[in-house]
């Protein structure tokens, strides 16, 4: 990937503003049985010895990417720096974990997600690793507000499906859920979200479902939003020009992050 700079007004262009810090963590996952990593963005002004606590966005990459995707290509840290400096985003931590609960799915190439059992194992173990390994490590090592109202989850493509499956099936953990071009959802939505109904409206601060209008996944995303509507579940329907690309997801992150923790 090559970055061709655009005007400074674009949120993913580096500007003369205060910058946060990226931290890279490594650990052994007992859930998955491998060595893995995650990144943490701390905002400008974060002081390890200070008492101020921050909300957290868990931000998930897509299929074939790794934990560095949102910073190496998505420029999430640059977007947050700029929007925090402009007062458009509340200072927050952003945690970017490895998104595979079954890493063998990648060895199968883009045919891997077509294996229903493997796809489900990937989603299930990812959720378990996030809830029982990554979040506890983050909340032990950083000054964060450890409650659902200060915890958000969002992601792109495979990570969009993971954010929906993890967030909407664990409303005791997350109050803010965002999906960017979700990939991997099946159309048996009631089976994937068995306990989701209109009572979720009392717990969700935001449910934001976005997709590019020229994305091959627009069909299943529209069907999912129609299913949410049939269940009377409040959500935002976001469609923007574009295909399955980082130009869409960068804008999604810039827009979604401005809603959080208000």
């Amino acid at each position: 990937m090559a970055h061709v700079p655009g005007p400074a007004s674009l949120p993913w262009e580096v500007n003369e503003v205060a910058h946060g810090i990226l931290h890279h963590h490594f650990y052994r996952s007992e859930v998955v049985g491998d060595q893995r990593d995650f990144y943490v963005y701390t905002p400008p002004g974060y002081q390890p010895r200070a008492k101020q606590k921050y909300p957290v966005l868990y931000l998930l990459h897509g299929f074939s990417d790794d934990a560095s995707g949102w910073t190496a290509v998505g420029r999430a840290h640059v977007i947050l720096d700029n929007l925090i400096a402009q007062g458009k985003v509340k200072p927050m931590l952003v945690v970017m974990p490895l998104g595979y609960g079954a890493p063998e799915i990648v060895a199968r190439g883009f045919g891997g997600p077509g294996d229903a059992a493997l796809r489900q194992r990937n989603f299930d173990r990812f959720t378990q690793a996030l809830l029982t390994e990554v979040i506890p490590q983050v909340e032990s090592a950083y000054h964060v507000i450890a409650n659902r109202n200060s915890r958000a989850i969002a992601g792109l493509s495979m990570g969009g499906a993971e954010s929906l499956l993890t967030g909407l099936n664990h409303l005791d953990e997350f109050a803010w859920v965002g999906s960017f071009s979700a990939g991997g959802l099946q159309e048996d939505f009631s089976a994937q979200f068995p306990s989701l109904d209109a009572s979720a409206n009392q717990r969700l601060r935001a449910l934001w479902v976005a997709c590019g209008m020229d994305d091959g996944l627009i069909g299943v995303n529209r069907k999912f939003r129609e299913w949410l509507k049939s269940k009377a579940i409040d959500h935002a329907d976001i469609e923007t020009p574009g295909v399955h690309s980082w130009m869409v997801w960068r804008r999604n992150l810039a827009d979604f992050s401005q809603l959080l923790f208000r």
Side-chain angles (χ1 to χ4, degrees):
M1 300 291 290
H3 178 70
V4 180
S9 59
L10 293 173
W12 49 83
E13 297 295 343
V14 176
N15 284 279
E16 293 295 332
V17 299
H19 299 300
I21 298 174
L22 280 177
H23 312 259
H24 196 185
H25 295 261
F26 299 86
Y27 78 101
R28 175 170 178 77
S29 171
E30 298 302 326
V31 170
V32 184
D34 64 3
Q35 298 287 338
R36 54 186 41 219
D37 63 340
F38 61 90
Y39 289 80
V40 177
Y41 164 87
T42 51
Y46 178 89
Q47 297 292 333
R49 297 184 179 180
K51 294 183 179 180
Q52 182 179 356
K53 293 187 175 183
Y54 295 82
V56 186
L57 166 62
Y58 290 86
L59 186 61
L60 315 180
H61 64 77
F63 183 79
S64 81
D65 282 341
D66 62 20
S68 70
W70 265 111
T71 52
V73 188
R75 300 172 73 81
H77 55 307
V78 179
I79 293 170
L80 268 292
D81 285 346
N82 287 328
L83 295 180
I84 289 172
Q86 295 166 22
K88 295 180 178 179
V89 164
K90 294 194 69 173
M92 68 182 77
L93 272 70
V94 182
V95 177
M96 294 157 280
L98 186 65
Y100 305 109
E104 60 270 24
I105 197 171
V106 184
R108 301 268 294 272
F110 284 94
D115 182 328
L118 179 57
R119 182 180 62 245
Q120 191 62 47
R121 184 165 71 251
N122 186 60
F123 286 148
D124 290 346
R125 288 186 181 172
F126 165 77
T127 295
Q128 186 181 356
L130 178 69
L131 296 179
T132 67
E133 296 179 337
V134 176
I135 291 178
Q137 288 184 68
V138 170
E139 295 185 348
S140 174
Y142 292 90
H143 296 300
V144 301
I145 307 170
N147 63 55
R148 61 179 304 278
N149 287 321
S150 297
R151 199 181 291 129
I153 187 168
L156 69 91
S157 195
M158 177 187 75
E162 288 173 337
S163 69
L164 294 171
L165 291 165
T166 302
L168 296 179
N169 287 316
H170 296 87
L171 291 176
D172 53 333
E173 300 289 344
F174 302 96
W176 314 78
V177 179
S179 169
F180 314 154
S181 310
L185 287 179
Q186 305 305 295
E187 293 184 18
D188 56 340
F189 304 121
S190 293
Q192 293 172 94
F193 305 96
S195 61
L196 193 64
D197 57 31
S199 66
N201 295 333
Q202 305 302 315
R203 311 192 73 192
L204 279 167
R205 301 291 299 277
L207 172 54
W208 204 82
V209 185
C211 193
M213 290 183 288
D214 300 308
D215 192 321
L217 293 170
I218 189 67
V220 69
N221 277 271
R222 285 173 174 165
K223 289 178 180 178
F224 178 63
R225 295 197 307 253
E226 285 299 315
W227 180 79
L228 291 173
K229 184 177 179 180
S230 74
K231 303 282 282 187
I233 298 168
D234 296 337
H235 63 284
D237 292 354
I238 309 297
E239 293 190 4
T240 57
V243 294
H244 202 69
S245 75
W246 280 103
M247 297 305 294
V248 171
W249 304 322
R250 289 173 180 173
R251 291 188 174 94
N252 288 162
L253 176 61
D255 291 342
F256 180 67
S257 62
Q258 295 181 58
L259 303 176
L260 296 178
F261 312 124
R262 301 291 184 180

